[in-house]
Amino acid sequence: MRDLTAAISTPNPEYEKIGVKVDGEYFQLNANILQIENEYYSFIRPKRITRSGERPTKALQRAGVQYVEMRSLDVSVFDPVGVNQNKLRFLEAFAAFCVLRDSRPIGTRSRTNWMAITPSSRAKAAGPACCCAATVARSG
């Protein structure tokens, strides 16, 4: 929560150079590292239904996590609605396993990837800092 709140409230000098509104036309919502909470890219995001006018981070601070959004799902062309009951059962079991299993702190490489991608999320060529970065950047 602390880092997400900081990202949506900390100006980025590169985005400030662009300007928010130029000649009466909006180019971006603001010049912060992240413009809104939904720019936080993660496979799973904590969520809570917000009150009218409430920011997602404030809703989470006020009342905690209501549900998690699993964003790493691929739509299956073989299922009429894109996913089937067996896949959903597996995801539920896997999510429970992840909650119950101890995990290591985020390492240097993961933090490097996060820091490489998040600030440049508005750029088409943003990609992870690894041996496949050139391939990822070209495919964007």
Side-chain angles (χ1 to χ4, degrees), residues 5-27:
T5 301
I8 61 172
S9 58
T10 303
N12 179 304
E14 293 298 315
Y15 301 148
E16 286 179 324
K17 289 179 190 174
I18 296 169
V20 174
K21 192 173 184 180
V22 179
D23 298 326
E25 185 177 341
Y26 281 96
F27 280 84

Side-chain angles (χ1 to χ4, degrees), residues 88-98:
L88 293 174
R89 285 186 186 116
F90 169 79
L91 285 172
E92 184 176 16
F94 182 67
F97 168 78
C98 291

Side-chain angles (χ1 to χ4, degrees), residues 34-71:
L34 295 180
Q35 293 189 24
I36 58 174
E37 288 92 336
N38 290 345
E39 282 187 341
Y40 171 68
Y41 296 111
S42 179
F43 294 118
I44 297 179
R45 292 195 286 196
K47 301 294 268 184
R48 168 155 291 281
I49 295 172
T50 60
R51 295 175 178 163
S52 179
E54 185 178 35
R55 302 231 24 183
T57 49
K58 296 295 181 192
L60 287 168
Q61 289 171 343
R62 172 182 52 79
V65 176
Q66 186 175 22
Y67 64 97
V68 292
E69 181 180 70
M70 298 179 91
R71 302 176 46 86

